Amino acid sequence: MNLCNLLVISTFFLLIHCTGSSSNPIIEASQTFDPVTIDGQANETIWQQAKPIRLKNNRTGKEVQESALQTHVKASYDDKSLYFLFECKDPDIWAEFTQRDEYLWKEEVVEVFIDVDDAPETYVEIEVSPANILFDSYIVDPENIDVPATAKFNLPGLNTGVTVQGTLNKRDDEDSSWTVEMAIPFEDLANSETTKVGPDTEIKLNFYRLDKNQGKEFAAYAWSPTGKSFHKPSVFGKLVFK
């Protein structure tokens, strides 16, 4: 084999390696033609059909090996809304905040960040606690977030439901899991850059969970790990409409 051929082969494998290491994850949203009742029950047929993704340790990027702490997320859609299902294994389920837009990330929460335009610094942030309390905001600068200002943003049609398999806020027993359903109208995600959002829109997103169990180290999980702060749009994954 001559030197020219060796260079071509080496370049080919280098391109494969670089592409694979920088590719962001993909989640498939399965289309539903039946109504989705947002109650946290996950009884709909679509949730049995949708493919789950599993969150990883946000700091290390490694899979969560302990089954009692794992988190799975599924996605679905119809012509009007996006739907997400979080299934969170959790031996100690608690939530003290009671008002919308309180700082839920200081306790236990699931989160989804959604970007529908070509400006990576702008995206919607949605958080839901085990008590079904909401925090929603519109980020315009991930490096310098003005939390009180961004929290004034509300998604008018956002609908969430939560069920707890255990006893909320009873810290001396052992719980099993909690489940979150979200319905996010496409029209609520539209902005000045992307005035119409739907299945034809290129949507980037990431999923997270904060878990603070009694007697255990604080844990942060992510679909596409960021290493530290969740606000790292460069690693957002992609939503594919199936």
Side-chain angles (χ1 to χ4, degrees):
M1 184 178 294
N2 60 37
L3 180 59
C4 182
N5 287 338
L6 284 173
L7 287 173
V8 170
I9 293 172
S10 297
T11 302
F12 175 74
F13 281 106
L14 179 61
L15 285 172
I16 290 176
H17 175 74
C18 291
T19 302
S21 63
S22 63
S23 61
N24 292 0
I26 292 173
I27 183 172
E28 289 185 354
S30 301
Q31 187 174 15
T32 179
F33 298 96
D34 299 320
V36 178
T37 302
I38 305 301
D39 56 7
Q41 296 287 344
N43 291 329
E44 290 78 11
T45 301
I46 192 61
W47 294 133
Q48 313 309 315
Q49 299 173 342
K51 294 181 180 180
I53 54 96
R54 193 163 83 181
L55 304 195
K56 301 177 181 179
N57 184 297
N58 187 59
R59 182 176 57 83
T60 66
K62 295 181 179 180
E63 298 284 349
V64 178
Q65 298 298 325
E66 191 172 347
S67 60
L69 301 175
Q70 290 177 357
T71 312
H72 294 86
V73 182
K74 297 179 180 179
S76 181
Y77 73 101
D78 57 24
D79 58 344
K80 293 184 178 180
S81 298
L82 270 177
Y83 302 99
F84 296 117
L85 175 73
F86 285 78
E87 295 176 305
C88 309
K89 297 294 185 180
D90 194 341
D92 180 23
I93 305 171
W94 64 283
E96 295 182 353
F97 288 124
T98 59
Q99 302 298 316
R100 185 167 183 159
D101 290 333
E102 290 189 287
Y103 295 174
L104 304 185
W105 60 89
K106 294 185 176 182
E107 299 181 349
E108 296 202 306
V109 73
V110 296
E111 307 182 9
V112 56
F113 294 2
I114 306 174
D115 183 2
V116 300
D117 56 37
D118 293 327
E121 67 275 7
T122 61
Y123 50 88
V124 169
E125 173 182 0
I126 301 170
E127 302 184 12
V128 184
S129 80
N132 200 23
I133 304 301
L134 309 180
F135 177 93
D136 50 351
S137 69
Y138 187 70
I139 305 299
V140 297
D141 182 358
E143 300 295 328
N144 301 284
I145 299 174
D146 184 340
V147 176
T150 62
K152 292 178 181 178
F153 170 86
N154 282 329
L155 293 160
L158 175 63
N159 187 15
T160 64
V162 178
T163 58
V164 173
Q165 292 73 51
T167 48
L168 183 66
N169 290 330
K170 193 172 188 301
R171 307 299 300 275
D172 58 353
D173 70 350
E174 185 168 336
D175 303 312
S176 175
S177 62
W178 53 293
T179 304
V180 181
E181 279 183 294
M182 298 185 192
I184 309 164
F186 284 120
E187 63 180 6
D188 283 8
L189 297 172
N191 56 38
S192 59
E193 297 294 325
T194 305
T195 57
K196 185 176 181 180
V197 178
D200 295 329
T201 307
E202 182 178 302
I203 295 179
K204 299 170 286 294
L205 73 175
N206 210 349
F207 303 102
Y208 308 97
R209 176 186 168 195
L210 294 172
D211 190 25
K212 301 184 178 182
N213 296 319
Q214 194 162 233
K216 289 184 174 290
E217 185 179 354
F218 160 77
Y221 307 123
W223 176 42
S224 182
T226 65
K228 192 175 181 183
S229 170
F230 286 170
H231 292 275
K232 191 174 180 181
S234 63
V235 305
F236 283 9
K238 294 181 180 180
L239 182 69
V240 173
F241 294 95
K242 181 180 176 183

